[in-house]
Amino acid sequence: MIAFRIDRRSGVATYLQLVQQVRQALRLGVLEPGDRLPTAREVVEAVAVNPNTVLRAYRELEREGLVEPRPGRGTFVRRSLSRTASAGDSPLRAEAVAWVARARAAGLEREDVAALAASVLDESFPPPELPPPFIPAPRPPQN
């Protein structure tokens, strides 16, 4: 079962934090198809958010095809985002854990590690090229 956490200082909308945490759990294999998400009431009690916020997050996940509501039973995972290399017990994860331990031993704080990792990710995964801006054709002069 997933345990949500909300960072009220992050600047990220609460419902998006919930969506991102479900996606991450799906990528890491923490959640798998058939698993039930906590009810809105359970999330509200755990992290003190408005029930509508939870429902909005769950609707977004449903729109993406990741979960499906089953009336009277709850909201269930439809599909996984997990890849073998990103699973919780993969060798790559073990290497990442070791790297973070070395970074902490070198005196880096969480924000330093996040910034370093983000810069490497940005270099390794350049953003997709955006289409050229739409420029409307000039209108012919009206007489």
Side-chain angles (χ1 to χ4, degrees):
M1 173 84 61
I2 186 171
F4 292 109
R5 64 201 175 288
I6 302 301
D7 181 354
R8 303 195 192 289
R9 297 173 296 155
S10 72
V12 176
T14 303
Y15 88 96
L16 285 176
Q17 290 184 49
L18 297 173
V19 169
Q20 291 169 347
Q21 290 174 46
V22 169
R23 284 187 196 132
Q24 181 177 5
L26 290 169
R27 286 189 193 292
L28 296 176
V30 173
L31 288 174
E32 296 179 349
D35 287 348
R36 184 180 69 83
L37 294 182
T39 65
R41 177 175 289 159
E42 291 169 335
V43 178
V44 167
E45 291 172 1
V47 294
V49 295
N50 186 303
N52 291 325
T53 301
V54 180
L55 296 174
R56 183 176 182 188
Y58 284 13
R59 279 192 308 272
E60 175 66 20
L61 292 163
E62 180 185 4
R63 188 188 65 72
E64 294 176 12
L66 298 174
V67 302
E68 65 180 339
R70 296 180 190 163
R73 295 185 55 214
T75 301
F76 291 82
V77 174
R78 286 187 65 199
R79 66 184 179 92
S80 175
L81 298 174
S82 179
R83 296 187 175 142
T84 305
S86 66
D89 60 350
S90 78
L92 288 175
R93 186 178 194 292
E95 289 177 34
V97 168
W99 179 83
V100 169
R102 287 194 312 273
R104 289 187 72 188
L108 296 180
E109 298 289 329
R110 179 186 182 96
E111 292 80 14
D112 301 324
V113 172
L116 183 57
S119 71
V120 171
L121 286 170
D122 289 345
E123 291 171 9
S124 300
F125 296 95
E129 289 193 33
L130 297 175
F134 174 75
I135 301 173
R139 293 184 177 192
Q142 295 185 354
N143 294 331

